[in-house]
Amino acid sequence: MNICVVGTGYVGLVTGTCLAEIGHCVICVDNDKQKIQTLNTGKMPIFEPDLEKLVHQNRKRGNLSFSEDLGQGARKSEVIFICVGTPPLENGEADLSPVEKVTREIAVAADSYKLVVEKSTVPVQTGEYIYRTLQIYCREENGRFDVASNPEFLREGSAVADFFHPDRIVIGVNNRQTEAILHQIYQPILERGFSCPVHSSCSSFPKPYFLVTDIKSAELIKHASNSFLAAKISFINAIAEICEKVGADVQKVAEGMGLDPRIGKEFLKAGLGFGGFCFPKDLQAFVRIAEKVGYDFTLMKEVERINKARIDVAVEKLRKKLWVLREKTIAFLGLAFKPQTDDLRFAPAIGLIRRLRQEGCNIRAFDPQAMEKAVIEIPEIFYGANPYEVAAGAEALVLATEWPEFLDLDWLKMHRAMARPFILDGRNFLNRPLLMEVGFEYEGMGR
Ligand code: UGA
């Protein structure tokens, strides 16, 4: 099928590339000229495991291309996925102007039937606005439209693998024809009719569930899912606070809770809290959506408050240990909001570094992937070429992102490099007994 994907951020680029991989002919469009140039020269604007390889393969095969021309992309395609950003406005609401602009452009360009699929995370009822806008701005006699919602559940860092093995594919539609088109698009994934480019054997992955709903319910499923996961994280972080007060271990509490299948063990890792461009902004947007329809979502406001307070907890732990923070040198391992990505948006590490800078600390930092972006985000700190370099002379070391390679460091060498061997493990990730054996003072979150 001929498909146009509008927006080449994490969602758009991964979706477009993977749709090409399962046999569709995809044009990815973006109004960011530089990004399109980068992609057309074979370079990646983001780091995402397996993505680069698939982009190369499918460009070579001729079923994936990149363009700035939305009109042309829309005319050539029967299905158009809207994957543009919905950044937060000052009041927490999602800025829908990019979605609205793209919708108008599609309407103006359309000269035949188009199925417009919203994949960007949008407030409930956006589908109705999209449909109305398409009708109003379409001037061609043959322009006809359907609108569908197809929320995205990809996780950064494993987005490509998630695309090929989703738990569920949710589509919100208002007629059978739309459902049939979307089913056809995803058929290779639903039937496992593709050779997986990520795993050598996929037999352990169950086939995904194909859930068909009305458009508004599909839109709500996205917000409700992200908010629920964020609530799980804040819940365990609240438990972590109690654990510290009574001398219990949050890791053990989470393990005990997670053994109940009704609770599940995922998303019960206490630490510096959640970051990234999804949970923090989606949560705020959901609170605003609820407010607009007359519901005071205090539960979610509390989830947000608990999450923000994790940075204060970390600052206070450092203050307690180091006595005075001013002029102390603090080393950071990990800057990205989670491992396997170079994304720094709303990363807890960045929030914590900013706070410590205000306290007068000197910061030395290292991240395996996010350094290039970090230098632009916080130019005033020192960036080391490796963990040993950032540890040199530090009076505390904060593990802020759980990159697996940090487990295998030469911790004796790290110990020798530091002026004071204190570790604040912001993700309860490192091997505590080993570090203590080496001679570190170790502090976790909630244990
Ligand atoms: C999240 C959702 O997991 C995806 O399903 C969704 O599609 C995506 O948002 C989106 O809306 O686009 P993502 O932001 O990539 O995906 O990352 P997660 O793996 O969900 O992690 C989010 C944050 O929570 C990270 O900072 C992570 O460190 C933190 N986290 C996660 C915890 O602090 N504790 C946990 O137990 C799990």
Side-chain angles (χ1 to χ4, degrees):
M1 200 172 292
N2 289 325
I3 296 174
C4 175
V5 174
V6 191
T8 57
Y10 281 93
V11 172
L13 190 54
V14 171
T15 303
T17 306
C18 295
L19 284 172
E21 176 68 19
I22 59 170
H24 300 294
C25 195
V26 181
I27 305 179
C28 289
V29 177
D30 204 299
N31 63 0
D32 183 337
K33 214 175 182 171
Q34 207 180 340
K35 214 186 227 184
I36 293 299
Q37 260 171 17
T38 305
L39 286 161
N40 275 330
T41 52
K43 292 195 193 106
M44 288 291 111
I46 51 167
F47 168 75
E48 188 63 39
D50 301 306
L51 187 60
E52 188 166 4
K53 175 182 80 181
L54 294 192
V55 168
H56 284 313
Q57 277 172 15
N58 286 287
R59 282 184 71 218
K60 218 161 137 193
R61 245 187 256 158
N63 54 342
L64 177 65
S65 59
F66 299 101
S67 163
E68 287 167 57
D69 191 342
L70 173 55
Q72 197 190 38
R75 274 190 296 278
K76 277 190 181 166
S77 310
E78 184 183 355
V79 181
I80 302 157
F81 283 84
I82 300 182
C83 302
V84 293
T86 49
L89 292 168
E90 251 176 37
N91 64 2
E93 266 176 52
D95 180 1
L96 293 178
S97 58
V99 174
E100 195 260 358
K101 183 165 177 278
V102 162
T103 306
R104 274 190 282 117
E105 285 177 39
I106 295 170
V108 171
D111 52 2
S112 60
Y113 172 78
K114 306 289 168 200
L115 167 57
V116 178
V117 186
E118 50 168 35
K119 226 183 202 328
S120 303
T121 302
V122 289
V124 60
Q125 294 171 336
T126 301
E128 284 177 359
Y129 280 108
I130 292 179
Y131 186 70
R132 216 178 303 153
T133 306
L134 290 167
Q135 300 295 334
I136 292 168
Y137 284 90
C138 180
R139 286 284 173 266
E140 291 271 352
E141 225 172 87
N142 294 329
R144 284 184 308 109
F145 303 97
D146 272 315
V147 171
S149 164
N150 173 213
E152 189 50 75
F153 304 110
L154 304 176
R155 293 162 300 175
E156 284 184 30
S158 59
V160 172
D162 289 347
F163 182 93
F164 292 108
H165 306 292
D167 308 306
R168 78 282 208 203
I169 292 173
V170 175
I171 60 160
V173 295
N174 52 19
N175 62 51
R176 286 271 181 204
Q177 185 193 352
T178 311
E179 178 186 335
I181 296 173
L182 284 164
H183 191 277
Q184 196 189 333
I185 290 176
Y186 285 114
Q187 193 145 20
I189 302 287
L190 294 166
E191 305 296 329
R192 284 279 174 71
F194 64 99
S195 89
C196 179
V198 181
H199 308 96
S200 48
S201 163
C202 298
S203 50
S204 60
F205 292 100
K207 280 188 182 171
Y209 195 94
F210 189 64
L211 179 67
V212 184
T213 71
D214 57 283
I215 296 176
K216 287 181 207 164
S217 300
E219 289 169 336
L220 267 177
I221 286 170
K222 170 69 189 194
H223 268 301
S225 301
N226 273 7
S227 300
F228 190 81
L229 291 171
K232 253 186 127 176
I233 299 170
S234 278
F235 183 86
I236 201 65
N237 279 329
I239 300 291
E241 296 251 357
I242 297 171
C243 284
E244 287 198 0
K245 291 190 198 301
V246 301
D249 183 343
V250 72
Q251 303 271 90
K252 290 287 167 206
V253 177
E255 189 185 349
M257 288 169 63
L259 287 169
D260 182 337
R262 292 170 303 173
I263 298 174
K265 62 181 167 50
E266 302 292 332
F267 281 69
L268 285 181
K269 285 195 216 103
L272 291 174
F274 55 80
F277 205 52
C278 301
F279 285 176
K281 88 171 167 65
D282 288 1
L283 206 64
Q284 272 187 14
F286 204 24
V287 167
R288 291 286 298 150
I289 293 165
E291 213 167 275
K292 274 191 160 175
V293 298
Y295 181 73
D296 184 4
F297 215 157
T298 42
L299 176 64
M300 285 303 136
K301 290 181 190 164
E302 190 56 14
V303 166
E304 204 183 348
R305 189 200 62 75
I306 293 170
N307 195 55
K308 284 191 177 140
R310 300 310 288 163
I311 300 299
D312 305 329
V313 169
V315 172
E316 287 321 307
K317 276 173 181 285
L318 287 164
R319 197 194 308 280
K320 204 169 156 196
K321 191 59 77 175
L322 301 179
W323 185 17
V324 170
L325 287 175
R326 176 163 289 280
E327 289 179 15
K328 289 281 155 61
T329 299
I330 301 183
F332 270 72
L333 287 188
L335 295 165
F337 83 97
K338 67 177 206 176
Q340 310 305 336
T341 178
D342 61 352
D343 197 344
L344 293 171
R345 292 174 296 177
F346 297 98
I350 301 297
L352 182 53
I353 288 174
R354 291 219 163 98
R355 278 287 301 281
L356 293 171
R357 289 284 302 148
Q358 282 165 10
E359 296 277 351
C361 297
N362 303 312
I363 308 291
R364 303 166 70 81
F366 172 78
D367 186 283
Q369 286 293 340
M371 302 271 271
E372 234 174 84
K373 289 186 176 164
V375 173
I376 300 165
E377 185 81 22
I378 315 189
E380 67 274 18
I381 65 171
F382 172 84
Y383 292 95
N386 55 56
Y388 308 104
E389 199 179 337
V390 298
E395 287 147 296
L397 185 138
V398 179
L399 184 291
T401 317
E402 64 276 36
W403 285 95
E405 48 264 62
F406 293 152
L407 285 177
D408 303 324
L409 295 178
D410 179 342
W411 284 103
L412 193 59
K413 192 169 164 187
M414 293 290 282
H415 185 278
R416 286 194 186 125
M418 290 177 71
R420 173 180 177 170
F422 167 61
I423 289 188
L424 174 59
D425 186 353
R427 298 289 176 184
N428 291 337
F429 174 67
L430 298 170
N431 185 338
R432 178 167 61 173
L434 177 122
L435 293 174
M436 291 176 77
E437 204 180 295
V438 170
F440 279 100
E441 292 174 88
Y442 174 97
E443 173 100 25
M445 304 291 280
R447 49 206 304 230

